Amino acid sequence: MGWFRSAEMKYMTLVVPETQIYQIVCELGQRGVMQFSDMNKHSTAYQRTYANQVKICNGMQRIIHYFEEELEKLDIDIPSPPETEAFVREVLDRNRNNKVPPATRLNTFAEELKKNERDLRDITENYQKLVKVYNSKVELKYVLTEALKYSDSNDDELMADASAANQANDAVKFNYMTGVVDDSEHLSFQKMIFRATRGNCFVRFTPILGENKPDGSPGDPVLFADPVTDEKKEKQVFIAMFPGREIESQLRKICSAYGANIYEIPDIENTRELHEEIRVASDEIADAHHIQLYNRKQAETTAELLARNLQQWKIQVNMELGTYDTLNKLEIRDTGHAVGKGWVVAAAADDVASLVRKAGGSEGSGGGSINESPKPWPTPPTYFKTNKYTSPFQGIVNTYGVPDYQEANPAIITLITFPFSFAIMFGDVGHGLCWLIGSIYMIAAEKSLGAAKLNETVAMIYNARYMLFLMSLFAVYNGFIYNDTFALGVTYFGPSQWVNDSGTLVQDGVYPFGLDPVWKISSNEILFGNSLKMKIAVIFGVLHMVLGVFFKGANKIYFRDWNAFFNEFIPQIIFILSFFGYMVFMIFLKWCTDWVAVGSEFPGAGAPSLITTLVNIALQPGSIDNGTKLYGFDSDLQANVQVGILIVAFVCIPWMLVPKPLIENCQNQRKAHEITDHAHDDDDDEEGHQAHSCADLFIHQVIETIEYVLGCVSNTASYLRLWALSLAHMELSKTFWDLIMVNILNMDMGVGAKAILLFFAYSVFAAITAGVLLAMDFLECFLHALRLHWVEFQNKFFGATGHAFESFSYQRIIKDAFSDESE
């Protein structure tokens, strides 16, 4: 069916011996053309046949995630994953030639990963212990160094506090406690000690700094790595002096609560022993550092070996998990057969049947079989085959709602109308070129960008690169029509066709393409531009809505709903064409008429106001004056046509309202009689076929009619946002240029000074243009174009109640796995 309607689906039943089901499901996963239905909906995950295998796969996924985290900590680059299709084929070929049962092969794979995990964990745990030892030795060295400073300093503040305390009470002997606490905790730690000891403990803190700088200033803080998280922290040495043993017990509890490390050191007044302890600590630090480096080298070697196979392992684990998740949807019967049901793309049904027979052997030898299930079928899923160009547009439609099965696909029109409606609002040659260059770069470098790890926002822009290409290309095209390049008029197609004739501008011809650049310097630029852009918006809106109504008619013909076709589509298309189509006709006629010639031939005649003409069609039928005369200047042709249009439009309203519910009610009654005649005893079946009453049908149709008639008016007005956003874009760009660049150019100063100012002014102008117009306004125009397609266009025909075809496909499973990783 192409892209206009979703692919035809068949509901198939798969019957395969249990011994062959794994291989057949793998083959189907490689093809990706079957969506399995869950035949064990009422069973929990733990009650399913292959629950243990799924548990093993989940465990392997955890191990893979652990490997990725450790490789990231070690700064080991993970190679790009292999080409998915080729690698899947390689794995399946290897499994076919391997006579080992799938469950045994899975267990062997799991044991291999567990062994690698144990090896890496042993190295990691040893490293954590080594880091802890190394940190403790470094902390001890700085504690000893600070204690030595206090011992050598006779006028130190801490010693002065102690002396003052001893003078107050000679019977009190002060004890020392030394240690290290995190820099972020030291203030809270100090307050807690003061409150717990009621001020009876003197504590001094010193930040741990490296060697002094060459200029004699203090060195930078020493950073200590956390053994588990590898987070870098600053620390401070504390020395506490306190009387008695009770306070010591309190201090130890506080240190434990704050994670402070306490170090026992020799008497603070014994400088000789302190020097010896510092020397021993320095030697131990050197040894610990050497062992730590050896451990890191060993860890990196192990990690590099893991990195070589990590992506292949990840793909295999996801393949196994997807396979066993699918197997759990099948029903395993006592006869030793596995039975599954699911949707298959009709075009691939014969290939799937051949594949099942080939993988399971001939039916006569007890192999598998797949056949079309008897009807009635469940609601078929919707499947459109897309590529990297059409996928973003299908995504826009599916975000609103998935099309019903074989319903007309809005994406086939959205492919062109979406970027063009955006370009009507964003039309500017300069701004469009900026995005055009960016999109061309992404298209040219799609292989390298596709293989790179991109954040969520950049990945979203990259995936829409072809859509952005069309949007920016149409923006450049509309920019040429508007003659806007950063809101400036440029003579791209030759000089202006307006010439100065004795002080008066006279038109000497028609500008080859787009607006004449002279309009950019005219006093009525905004009035003329508004008139043009408003008419373009109305023309596009009416044509867009008419396309939507024709899509509705195509759906009614395809599904053979002749009642809706003749009594809904026909009056709707006549209604919208009679009034709004006539409005478009008047716009083109006004553009194509030489009103100077008309005025000379018919005095008093001139270009009419189209808004007044449209209002008079409804409020003053048949009333035509010189202000509304558009054609038939010497007859009543226009008046007669407009009266006829009004009559046709009014006739269409009851046509939409009355016949359809009456006919539908008669059809429902006929079906009810048939059910009564053929199923007297089947009460449930009779209840299941009860239809809406005639009153319900009329109420529904009244709502539909009012919504359509009023919607045509409101939707047409809604398309005027194309004009409003285009005006806003142009005025913003012009305002930025005038306020920043023109003011500098008009300054009376030297050339050199003006050049310097222009350099900085242009930098500001470029930054504002990029932030406001190329980013914010771009997004605003994108969202408004999205709304016009979701509401104004799609509400004319789009059901959007379908569900997407989600086949069991290894490529899709692997793509989703790596997409989740990048997010």
Side-chain angles (χ1 to χ4, degrees):
M1 298 299 293
W3 202 33
F4 183 60
R5 298 195 185 276
S6 61
E8 184 181 354
M9 310 297 294
K10 287 187 176 181
Y11 198 57
M12 311 289 282
T13 300
L14 176 69
V15 181
V16 180
E18 189 177 359
T19 55
Q20 300 170 358
I21 188 59
Y22 178 89
Q23 183 61 36
I24 290 177
V25 168
C26 287
E27 297 290 344
L28 292 173
Q30 183 182 8
R31 303 303 192 281
V33 292
M34 184 169 184
Q35 173 183 318
F36 286 88
S37 300
D38 191 354
M39 301 185 67
N40 303 303
K41 291 180 180 179
H42 302 294
S43 300
T44 65
Y46 299 102
Q47 293 174 332
R48 300 190 180 225
T49 307
Y50 298 95
N52 187 51
Q53 285 83 347
V54 171
K55 182 179 178 182
I56 293 173
C57 292
N58 288 331
M60 290 193 291
Q61 278 190 326
R62 177 194 56 79
I63 294 173
I64 294 293
H65 184 62
Y66 169 71
F67 287 162
E68 290 174 336
E69 289 180 342
E70 292 302 316
L71 292 178
E72 185 177 355
K73 289 179 183 178
L74 293 168
D75 199 21
I76 301 295
D77 291 331
I78 302 175
S80 300
E83 200 277 320
T84 303
E85 186 175 355
F87 184 75
V88 168
R89 191 185 309 114
E90 178 187 339
V91 171
L92 295 182
D93 290 341
R94 189 166 60 241
N95 290 344
R96 287 191 205 100
N97 299 327
N98 193 341
K99 302 304 180 183
V100 178
T104 305
R105 189 166 59 241
L106 180 67
N107 290 330
T108 303
F109 184 26
E111 287 301 323
E112 180 186 359
L113 292 184
K114 288 178 182 178
K115 180 181 179 301
N116 286 305
E117 181 192 20
R118 286 193 296 269
D119 293 342
L120 187 58
R121 282 194 185 277
D122 289 342
I123 297 173
T124 302
E125 290 172 2
N126 288 336
Y127 175 74
Q128 292 173 357
K129 292 175 183 178
L130 290 171
V131 170
K132 190 173 182 180
V133 171
Y134 176 79
N135 288 347
S136 66
K137 297 301 179 184
V138 174
E139 290 174 0
L140 176 59
K141 177 184 175 181
Y142 280 100
V143 168
L144 291 167
T145 303
E146 292 303 320
L148 185 61
K149 288 180 182 178
Y150 286 129
S151 177
D152 292 341
S153 178
N154 294 325
D155 57 348
D156 184 82
E157 184 182 351
L158 183 63
M159 303 302 291
D161 289 339
S163 298
N166 281 320
Q167 290 173 5
N169 187 358
D170 294 337
V172 177
K173 176 174 174 55
F174 275 80
N175 299 312
Y176 296 92
M177 179 179 289
T178 57
V180 174
V181 67
D182 287 352
D183 180 69
S184 60
E185 298 282 359
H186 92 274
L187 290 177
S188 176
F189 180 69
Q190 185 178 15
K191 292 177 182 178
M192 181 60 70
I193 291 177
F194 181 82
R195 292 171 182 171
T197 63
R198 299 182 180 181
N200 291 319
C201 179
F202 304 98
V203 187
R204 293 295 177 267
F205 293 89
T206 304
I208 298 179
L209 303 177
E211 296 181 359
N212 289 343
K213 297 179 180 178
D215 60 0
S217 60
D220 296 326
V222 176
L223 299 178
F224 293 83
D226 185 278
V228 178
T229 63
D230 205 31
E231 180 185 357
K232 307 297 183 183
K233 297 180 180 179
E234 298 179 19
K235 295 194 176 185
Q236 293 201 22
V237 172
F238 69 87
I239 299 179
M241 297 180 64
F242 53 89
R245 294 293 179 184
E246 293 182 0
I247 292 180
E248 180 180 359
S249 175
Q250 290 179 322
L251 288 178
R252 289 186 179 276
K253 291 179 181 178
I254 294 172
C255 289
S256 176
Y258 278 86
N261 298 321
I262 301 173
Y263 293 96
E264 301 294 338
I265 63 173
D267 190 346
I268 202 170
E269 298 178 359
N270 190 343
T271 58
R272 182 178 178 182
E273 195 170 348
L274 287 174
H275 278 292
E276 179 62 22
E277 289 291 334
I278 290 174
R279 185 190 64 79
V280 172
S282 298
D283 293 341
E284 291 177 344
I285 288 171
D287 293 339
H289 184 62
H290 177 73
I291 298 172
Q292 188 178 344
L293 290 177
Y294 177 78
N295 178 276
R296 280 295 84 182
K297 187 175 181 181
Q298 184 183 9
E300 289 174 359
T301 302
T302 304
E304 287 173 355
L305 293 175
L306 293 176
R308 294 176 190 172
N309 299 315
L310 185 62
Q311 299 287 32
Q312 289 86 338
W313 287 341
K314 185 173 183 178
I315 293 175
Q316 285 181 262
V317 169
N318 282 283
M319 287 175 62
E320 293 289 350
L321 180 59
T323 301
Y324 284 108
D325 274 338
T326 302
L327 289 173
N328 274 332
K329 294 180 180 180
L330 308 182
E331 179 184 353
I332 308 300
R333 295 184 176 173
D334 296 337
T335 57
H337 284 77
V339 179
K341 292 185 178 182
W343 293 102
V344 176
V345 179
D350 293 338
D351 292 338
V352 170
S354 175
L355 181 148
V356 170
R357 286 193 296 268
K358 182 179 178 181
S362 63
E363 286 190 46
S365 62
S369 66
I370 184 167
N371 300 296
E372 189 172 327
S373 300
K375 295 183 178 181
W377 293 346
T379 304
T382 301
Y383 171 66
F384 295 103
K385 188 174 182 179
T386 58
N387 52 39
K388 56 189 177 183
Y389 177 73
T390 59
S391 179
F393 297 99
Q394 191 64 56
I396 285 177
V397 172
N398 289 355
T399 302
Y400 179 83
V402 178
D404 295 341
Y405 177 63
Q406 295 198 327
E407 179 185 23
N409 184 15
I412 199 168
I413 294 297
T414 302
L415 179 72
I416 294 298
T417 58
F418 180 83
F420 191 79
S421 61
F422 166 85
I424 293 176
M425 297 178 277
F426 198 75
D428 188 289
V429 175
H431 300 150
L433 275 176
C434 293
W435 276 100
L436 184 62
I437 293 170
S439 61
I440 290 175
Y441 166 75
M442 288 188 288
I443 292 172
E446 64 181 15
K447 288 187 178 179
S448 58
L449 291 174
K453 282 189 177 181
L454 307 174
N455 64 45
E456 186 176 359
T457 303
V458 176
M460 188 164 47
I461 294 174
Y462 167 74
N463 291 333
R465 58 195 180 280
Y466 288 98
M467 180 193 295
L468 293 175
F469 173 78
L470 269 185
M471 292 164 63
S472 54
L473 185 65
F474 282 135
V476 172
Y477 171 77
N478 278 275
F480 281 124
I481 291 179
Y482 301 155
N483 203 338
D484 271 345
T485 303
F486 300 110
L488 301 176
V490 181
T491 55
Y492 288 113
F493 304 99
S496 171
Q497 296 299 309
W498 290 77
V499 296
N500 192 335
D501 183 12
S502 302
T504 304
L505 284 177
V506 179
Q507 189 173 6
D508 189 39
V510 178
Y511 199 67
F513 188 85
L515 286 182
D516 195 302
V518 75
W519 287 106
K520 288 295 177 181
I521 57 174
S522 65
S523 59
N524 61 340
E525 173 199 0
I526 294 181
L527 289 176
F528 181 80
N530 279 352
S531 176
L532 173 67
K533 293 178 179 180
M534 189 183 298
K535 290 179 174 66
I536 290 175
V538 169
I539 292 169
F540 177 84
V542 172
L543 293 178
H544 204 205
M545 290 190 295
V546 168
L547 271 176
V549 179
F550 272 115
F551 268 47
K552 184 174 195 173
N555 282 336
K556 301 307 178 186
I557 293 174
Y558 183 81
F559 293 113
R560 300 185 180 279
D561 187 356
W562 302 115
N563 180 24
F565 178 80
F566 288 107
N567 298 309
E568 191 170 74
F569 163 70
I570 295 296
Q572 284 182 357
I573 195 65
I574 293 175
F575 178 86
I576 195 171
L577 287 177
S578 63
F579 192 82
F580 298 94
Y582 181 69
M583 177 172 58
V584 173
F585 163 75
M586 288 195 298
I587 291 173
F588 279 105
L589 185 59
K590 183 177 179 180
W591 279 346
C592 298
T593 301
D594 184 353
W595 293 105
V596 175
V598 169
S600 62
E601 183 178 354
F602 302 98
S609 169
L610 296 184
I611 295 177
T612 304
T613 304
L614 288 171
V615 171
N616 286 347
I617 291 177
L619 299 184
Q620 298 178 8
S623 176
I624 303 294
D625 54 29
N626 287 336
T628 58
K629 195 74 171 179
L630 188 64
Y631 56 91
F633 297 97
D634 55 352
S635 67
D636 294 332
L637 176 62
Q638 182 177 347
N640 295 333
V641 168
Q642 292 179 179
V643 169
I645 287 172
L646 186 63
I647 293 173
V648 169
F650 271 108
V651 168
C652 288
I653 295 175
W655 188 0
M656 283 185 273
L657 180 63
V658 178
K660 184 187 173 186
L662 288 177
I663 295 173
E664 190 171 348
N665 184 58
C666 293
Q667 292 173 342
N668 291 339
Q669 289 180 351
R670 184 165 59 251
K671 290 179 181 178
H673 287 308
E674 292 176 358
I675 294 172
T676 303
D677 294 338
H678 295 91
H680 291 287
D681 299 328
D682 194 350
D683 295 335
D684 293 337
D685 184 62
E686 188 173 350
E687 291 177 3
H689 286 81
Q690 285 182 351
H692 295 292
S693 65
C694 186
D696 292 337
L697 295 174
F698 263 104
I699 292 172
H700 175 76
Q701 194 62 27
V702 166
I703 295 172
E704 289 288 325
T705 303
I706 294 174
E707 182 180 2
Y708 179 79
V709 173
L710 296 183
C712 286
V713 178
S714 63
N715 292 164
T716 303
S718 184
Y719 277 97
L720 291 177
R721 72 184 66 233
L722 299 174
W723 151 66
L725 268 293
S726 176
L727 175 65
H729 182 89
M730 180 190 72
E731 288 301 313
L732 273 175
S733 183
K734 185 178 179 182
T735 300
F736 293 150
W737 176 261
D738 290 343
L739 291 179
I740 299 173
M741 299 299 295
V742 174
N743 286 339
I744 301 295
L745 291 170
N746 292 334
M747 286 184 178
D748 186 14
M749 60 174 62
V751 176
K754 184 177 287 188
I756 294 173
L757 277 178
L758 281 174
F759 173 79
F760 289 105
Y762 185 77
S763 300
V764 174
F765 174 73
I768 292 177
T769 298
V772 177
L773 294 172
L774 294 181
M776 293 174 59
D777 194 56
F778 182 93
L779 182 60
E780 183 182 17
C781 295
F782 179 92
L783 294 175
H784 280 282
L786 199 63
R787 180 244 153 79
L788 289 176
H789 283 75
W790 280 354
V791 179
E792 277 69 28
F793 172 58
Q794 292 180 180
N795 73 353
K796 298 293 183 291
F797 69 98
F798 193 38
T801 58
H803 59 279
F805 176 66
E806 296 180 354
S807 64
F808 168 55
S809 168
Y810 287 136
Q811 291 205 39
R812 183 180 62 83
I813 291 171
I814 295 166
K815 180 181 177 182
D816 291 345
F818 282 97
S819 297
D820 293 341
E821 176 189 349
S822 63
E823 293 175 5

